Amino acid sequence: MAITAAMVKELRDSTGAGMMDAKKALTESDGDMEAAVDWLRTKGLAKAAKKSGRTAAEGLVAVKVEGGVGVAVEVNSETDFVGKNAEFQAMVSDVAGVAINAQNTEELAAADMGGKSVADVITAKVATIGENMSLRRMARLEGTSVVSYVHNAAADGMGKIGVLVALSGDNEAFGKQVAMHVAAVNPASLSEADLDASVVEKEKTVQMDIARESGKPEAVIEKMIVGRMKKFMAEVTLLNQAFVVNPDLTVEAAAKEAGVEITGFVRLEVGEGIEKKEENFAEEVAATLKG
């Protein structure tokens, strides 16, 4: 029986198996969908679908730099324990290697990795490791030189926080200091020009409301706001922040002294922005007993 793309898609959707595994299952079962599901179950390849609803908020961020290109990739898992698994770490490292030639997360997910797409490799690993996991995002940075840093490293080039810093100039030691600064301080943007206008407007409105509570005249309040917004920019934009290595200098001034210009940065932290479901063990046991 001819195995069609529609049949493969249906089996993948119902089991969470990888494309090549689904095709092989259908071939082995002569197109019988139920038999193909059973075949996948016996091979341990249909477990992924049952796990897809679990929150994957742990995992690793891996960074890789080649020449003037750097990438940071976040692959999530359900527990921190899996982040320490050598098999998972090897996969994340391989994904980062593939990411060097990808432009975005979607392109990376579809990219070839040992004969399978990255997405399919991760799905297959769900079955073998036994936890839900996902390719959440990647970031790409280019510059004359790119420096990477990993905070709380679990293995070479991967950990809980991954940072890339792009420089116009070559000073790796300084670039590493800036990357460590970014990891610690977590700036919102490179400069005021790169800051989201809605963030600026919201802060300005808040500061105006606070200033008006003082009862001072509008002309005085406007002058107060100028100073307060300058302070805000010094707190959230990398170039205007006090450099952690030498707080007497801004990061921009420190870069000038180092003979380089910082042209961009990326900071990815595992699980940021993911709402983790709080498990109540007692309630879970009670629910199981009722079932």
Side-chain angles (χ1 to χ4, degrees):
M1 180 178 178
I3 307 303
T4 66
M7 292 168 66
V8 173
K9 183 179 186 303
E10 181 181 346
L11 185 59
R12 288 189 68 192
D13 290 345
S14 65
T15 64
M19 182 174 67
M20 297 307 295
D21 291 325
K23 186 175 181 181
K24 186 173 182 181
L26 286 164
T27 302
E28 292 289 329
S29 59
D30 198 28
D32 185 316
M33 195 64 67
E34 288 186 13
V37 171
D38 290 339
W39 187 91
L40 287 168
R41 290 182 65 194
T42 62
K43 301 295 183 183
L45 297 171
K47 295 192 296 181
K50 296 180 181 179
K51 300 175 187 300
S52 61
R54 298 182 189 171
T55 302
E58 298 292 341
L60 292 169
V61 171
V63 295
K64 190 171 182 64
V65 176
E66 287 187 7
V69 176
V71 290
V73 177
E74 180 184 0
V75 181
N76 293 141
S77 62
E78 291 178 50
T79 65
D80 183 55
F81 181 75
V82 168
K84 299 168 185 174
N85 180 300
E87 187 179 351
F88 179 73
Q89 291 175 355
M91 180 192 73
V92 174
S93 179
D94 290 343
V95 171
V98 173
I100 281 287
N101 297 310
Q103 297 297 318
N104 52 54
T105 308
E106 292 72 23
E107 194 174 305
L108 174 58
D112 177 77
M113 193 167 94
K116 291 183 178 181
S117 71
V118 167
D120 284 348
V121 168
I122 293 174
T123 298
K125 200 64 72 177
V126 171
T128 58
I129 291 181
E131 275 197 17
N132 187 32
M133 54 189 74
S134 63
L135 170 64
R136 186 184 180 204
R137 54 183 173 160
M138 73 159 278
R140 182 183 177 90
L141 191 64
E142 299 183 22
T144 305
S145 64
V146 177
V147 178
S148 66
Y149 168 71
V150 172
H151 187 65
N152 285 345
D156 187 37
M158 64 186 79
K160 290 297 182 184
I161 299 174
V163 177
L164 302 169
V165 174
L167 306 172
S168 64
D170 188 13
N171 190 330
E172 186 173 352
F174 175 74
K176 188 76 72 176
Q177 289 180 338
V178 174
M180 293 173 73
H181 171 105
V182 170
V185 183
N186 192 14
S189 70
L190 178 65
S191 65
E192 185 175 343
D194 305 304
L195 196 58
D196 188 331
S198 64
V199 173
V200 177
E201 193 56 39
K202 181 180 178 181
E203 180 64 21
K204 191 172 182 178
T205 300
V206 169
Q207 292 299 337
M208 287 287 282
D209 290 343
I210 292 172
R212 284 184 178 128
E213 289 293 323
S214 67
K216 291 183 172 61
E218 283 295 313
V220 175
I221 288 174
E222 287 181 12
K223 290 180 181 178
M224 289 171 62
I225 296 306
V226 171
R228 290 184 180 184
M229 290 306 294
K230 186 176 181 180
K231 182 181 178 183
F232 173 69
M233 292 301 172
E235 291 173 350
V236 302
T237 59
L238 175 60
L239 296 181
N240 292 308
Q241 286 175 339
F243 192 29
V244 291
V245 177
N246 181 0
D248 292 333
L249 295 176
T250 63
V251 173
E252 185 173 32
K256 189 174 182 180
E257 281 196 1
V260 297
E261 180 184 350
I262 302 166
T263 57
F265 76 90
V266 163
R267 182 187 187 277
L268 295 190
E269 181 171 354
V270 170
E272 60 187 342
I274 298 176
E275 185 177 345
K276 297 183 183 181
K277 182 180 178 182
E278 294 296 327
E279 300 290 349
N280 185 310
F281 185 65
E283 289 180 3
E284 185 179 327
V285 172
T288 303
L289 291 172
K290 287 178 182 178

